[in-house]
Amino acid sequence: MDSLHPPVFDSGSERLLPRLDTDETTDVVTAVETPAQGADRRDRLTLIALVGQHGEPMIPIDGEVAVFGRGRNVDVRLDDPGLSRRHVRFFRMDGGWWIEDLGSRNGTFVDGERLGVPRRLRDGDRIQIGKGCVFRASLHDAVEHAATKRMVDSAVKDPLTQVYNRRHLDDRLTQELAFARRHRTPMSVLLIDVDHFKQVNDVHGHLAGDAVLRVMGKLLQRIVRTEDLVARYGGEEFAVVARGIDARNAAILAERVRRTVEATKFPTAQGILRITVSVGVATFREELRYETVHDLLAAADAGLYRAKEGGRNRCCAD
């Protein structure tokens, strides 16, 4: 049966893969060792969420491969106990998109049929992952894909800084806290406030303040890991959600943020500005299991308050 499965390859790989042909009578999939032909124009895939808690109404898939599951080391994590840690793989090959179940416990279904071998997706296919996550496959060209991605971004991103907005932060925090509680793993939140931001606006103008916030958003995205979330919490405050990070490492991350911001030159139309931040940290852990998202944010906010009261440009944890 292994011969029926396409070879596993890294997301960044651009090497050609063998083409898979399906016999419509027997449904047998075979690999054909011929170079990939020109791609169909409708070669971009977006999954439209129909049922389940996914955090996103639509998931545009970039790159060549995307693994979905409830584990940590996947491209798209779905917080659903009915999913396996590495549940299903979407991959692009021979100008189209394919779906492969990765030996999951509860299976993957396309239009009601449980997958046994990889299957090529068609526009409009209904995909059920496990028991409670259902998507519709939408295939489109590069222009449509870009438009879809812009629509998704406009719903979940802050227009000024292009990090996630407060609404998406609240949704993700709910999911991350549920995951941490269920699997008894740590999860940390950092609240980051730009020190003396009102003075920046008063002395240099609101355009300079906006420039500082835009640079801050980009800076934070470079500092954190790919799987972490950066969001604008409100005004000059940002939040970082770091999954699987314990209190010690959260403190290290907070100090890295503080030092990096302090060493960064912030270019504005009025010249280079020097900025510092205060950081409050809260960690969900075995000995301190916050019951709600509000409790976790309140603890991080209390740490932020202590950092500002202590003279700013410092980090304080729960």
Side-chain angles (χ1 to χ4, degrees):
M1 289 297 293
D2 288 343
S3 62
L4 299 181
H5 290 257
V8 176
F9 59 102
D10 295 333
S11 305
S13 174
E14 295 181 353
R15 66 184 178 86
L16 294 178
L17 296 175
R19 190 180 77 244
L20 293 184
D21 281 349
T22 305
D23 187 312
E24 295 183 357
T25 303
T26 63
D27 284 332
V28 172
V29 180
T30 56
V32 181
E33 295 293 338
T34 57
Q37 299 174 356
D40 190 309
R41 289 184 60 193
R42 297 173 64 82
D43 63 348
R44 305 300 177 94
L45 173 63
T46 296
L47 297 181
I48 312 297
L50 301 178
V51 179
Q53 297 296 320
H54 315 112
E56 306 273 5
M58 293 177 286
I59 305 176
I61 297 180
D62 297 313
E64 301 293 316
V65 178
V67 175
F68 285 45
R70 63 178 179 84
R72 296 182 186 177
N73 299 318
V74 294
D75 301 300
V76 178
R77 198 176 90 182
L78 305 176
D79 185 22
D80 188 314
L83 269 65
S84 298
R85 295 186 182 278
R86 290 173 59 86
H87 194 104
V88 64
R89 182 166 68 110
F90 298 87
F91 60 96
R92 187 158 59 178
M93 184 169 57
D94 194 25
W97 278 94
W98 293 71
I99 181 171
E100 177 190 15
D101 184 82
L102 299 177
S104 67
R105 182 179 71 254
N106 291 319
T108 301
F109 303 80
V110 178
D111 289 341
E113 296 182 6
R114 183 163 184 160
L115 285 181
V117 295
R119 169 172 171 169
R120 185 166 185 155
L121 286 173
R122 299 167 300 182
D123 187 43
D125 277 347
R126 187 181 178 92
I127 302 164
Q128 179 181 333
I129 302 174
K131 294 182 177 180
C133 295
V134 182
F135 299 89
R136 177 171 58 83
S138 177
L139 295 170
H140 36 237
D141 61 24
V143 174
E144 293 170 325
H145 185 77
T148 299
K149 197 170 189 308
R150 284 195 299 270
M151 184 165 59
V152 172
D153 286 348
S154 68
V156 299
K157 294 287 184 71
D158 172 61
L160 176 63
T161 62
Q162 290 303 300
V163 300
Y164 286 106
N165 58 28
R166 176 62 186 273
R167 179 179 178 180
H168 186 72
L169 169 67
D170 291 342
D171 289 343
R172 275 288 299 272
L173 266 176
T174 299
Q175 295 175 29
E176 295 292 343
L177 187 60
F179 183 91
R181 183 179 293 110
R182 183 181 301 119
H183 299 282
R184 308 179 78 85
T185 58
M187 185 268 289
S188 295
V189 175
L190 281 62
L191 289 185
I192 302 153
D193 186 87
V194 179
D195 294 330
H196 304 295
F197 186 72
K198 185 177 183 299
Q199 292 182 18
V200 174
N201 282 332
D202 290 346
V203 175
H204 303 282
H206 288 278
L207 291 179
D210 288 349
V212 167
L213 295 178
R214 281 193 293 268
V215 174
M216 187 70 66
K218 293 178 181 177
L219 197 63
L220 292 174
Q221 288 177 306
R222 288 201 299 267
I223 295 172
V224 304
R225 305 169 302 171
T226 302
E227 61 267 34
D228 296 333
L229 178 140
V230 178
R232 189 176 179 187
Y233 189 64
E236 68 274 20
E237 290 185 342
F238 292 82
V240 172
V241 180
R243 63 172 60 159
I245 295 295
D246 60 21
R248 183 179 70 85
N249 285 303
I252 293 172
L253 174 60
E255 181 62 16
R256 184 185 307 141
V257 167
R258 188 199 66 78
R259 289 184 179 180
T260 301
V261 172
E262 185 179 37
T264 297
K265 297 177 180 179
F266 285 75
T268 73
Q270 287 70 36
I272 298 297
L273 299 182
R274 292 288 190 172
I275 302 296
T276 62
V277 294
S278 301
V279 186
V281 185
T283 301
F284 176 90
R285 51 195 186 270
E286 194 61 38
E287 66 275 19
L288 190 54
R289 297 169 65 85
Y290 295 105
E291 292 301 318
T292 67
V293 167
H294 178 270
D295 295 338
L296 187 64
L297 287 173
D301 192 58
L304 177 60
Y305 179 80
R306 291 197 303 275
K308 297 179 80 69
E309 285 293 299
R312 294 183 171 84
N313 192 26
R314 64 190 63 209
C315 309
C316 291
D318 57 0

